[in-house]
Amino acid sequence: MVSSLRLPDCEVPVRLRCELAAALYQQEILGFGKAAELAGLTRENFAVELARRNIPRHYSQEDASVDETYVGR
């Protein structure tokens, strides 16, 4: 099945991880930070990817705490 994808071989794992991460985040199976990690993206780049896909952020108290940590730096 993977051979059916119209992607260069080197791009397949990266794209599949990003697709999976976005889908699991959208279904609220993974939190934002873990989904970004699975996708192999920074939190900022994962937020951009979600916006590109029109997937709304599920902003939890944990996300707010992490954001406060970044602001305090």
Side-chain angles (χ1 to χ4, degrees):
M1 177 171 291
V2 172
S3 61
S4 309
L5 296 174
R6 295 183 186 127
L7 293 169
D9 288 343
C10 63
E11 209 176 303
V12 170
V14 173
R15 290 284 297 272
L16 289 179
R17 278 197 324 267
C18 192
E19 293 295 329
L20 179 60
L24 293 176
Y25 178 77
Q26 185 175 29
Q27 296 172 50
E28 298 185 31
I29 295 171
L30 271 184
F32 183 79
K34 291 295 182 184
E37 187 178 321
L38 174 61
L41 298 173
T42 65
R43 294 171 66 85
E44 294 80 13
N45 286 343
F46 189 63
V48 169
E49 183 62 27
L50 292 178
R52 187 182 71 73
R53 295 166 182 254
N54 295 317
I55 297 174
R57 285 282 308 266
H58 314 145
Y59 207 71
S60 68
Q61 183 60 40
E62 179 185 347
D63 292 329
S65 297
V66 171
D67 286 348
E68 287 175 10
T69 302
Y70 284 121
V71 171
R73 288 185 182 177

